Amino acid sequence: MSLEQPTALILLNMGGPDSLETIEPFLYNLFSDRELIQLPMGALLQKPFAKLISHFRSKKVRESYKYIGGRSPLLAWTRKQAVGIAERLGGHIQPFVLMRYWQPRAAEVMTQLKKAGIRQAIVLSMYPHYTGATTGSSINDFEQHAEKLYPELSYQVIDQWYDWPGYVTALASRVEEGLDNFHELMRDDVRILFSAHALPQKFIDRGDPYQQQVETTARLVMERVGNYRWSIAYQSRSGPVKWMTPGTDLELIRLGAEDVKSLLMVPISFVSDHIETLEEIDLQYRMLAEQHGIAHFFRAPSLNDHPDFLEGMAGLVRERCQI
């Protein structure tokens, strides 16, 4: 790939509602994606089921978004990440963001690229750990729209980076920052709980490497952090399907039963703050931990636009794209 001509850096992410009024259509887009959620009775009824589920679920989700200010911060953080990575790459790199389930979506981004006369792109998934449910769906969405709307676009895809040293080092630094919240006299007794987004177990059973990659990332981080007891759990489990285990809620209860008093939670499959960190961890899991005797509960800061993370991601692009 030659950087003598304008090059787009396109970050792929899930997206989130930008107002309380857009929660329901966002959920409809999400539940309509059979690569992510296969609702019963086949593809023909996927969208009617999605319409029904998104309507009723939006009422509950609305309260969660009210708690964090009425909108998802995911787009703002992803834009900052795109700009920060592009600046570190220099040259003719121009940042773009493409969201899977809310704006800006693939058709809009293709129009922007054509209008700007950009004919080559680096496509970077912001999911560190690969599963067809998230990474695969986002890449398929990009490729289908590129083929249909902008077949002249030449691009290279970076689809997973769970063991990239720049990412692991940045995450380890956030863990160390989180540990600084504990008094030095209790720091040796702090338990660390990595919390990744859960998937239905069927994705793991079919061969997706997601769980293995999450475990590898956690191990590599702890090799840098030092001698603490730690475990992994999976959050955001909902609906009547078999999910990956252990669930984060059940792991918190288990740790409380072990008389753990000091706990640092580390969001591992999220590279920026959004509803799962700001409301699910910071509110729901904090309350659950306190109810089960975990008196000192903190969350490690998210990666967001920390300079070490952005530099690490720029290094990833340089190596994978040989620029």
Side-chain angles (χ1 to χ4, degrees), residues 193-201 211 231-238 241-256 263 265 280-281 284-285 288-289 292 294:
L193 175 58
F194 291 92
S195 188
H197 201 293
L199 293 176
Q201 183 61 37
Q211 184 169 9
S231 57
I232 303 172
Y234 298 91
Q235 68 180 88
S236 308
R237 306 190 311 166
S238 63
V241 300
K242 183 180 179 181
W243 291 90
M244 300 170 65
T245 58
T248 300
D249 52 352
L250 298 180
E251 182 68 1
L252 287 170
I253 294 170
R254 185 187 72 81
L255 292 172
L263 180 71
M265 283 196 67
E280 190 170 13
I281 293 179
Q284 296 183 36
Y285 290 149
L288 181 62
H292 290 272
I294 301 174

Side-chain angles (χ1 to χ4, degrees), residues 172-184 186-187 190 228 264 298-301:
S173 294
R174 302 294 84 73
V175 174
E176 290 166 349
E177 289 177 13
L179 290 169
D180 287 341
N181 288 295
F182 299 90
H183 191 280
E184 60 182 10
M186 69 171 64
R187 198 166 298 158
V190 173
Y228 290 88
L264 177 68
F298 290 97
R299 172 174 65 87

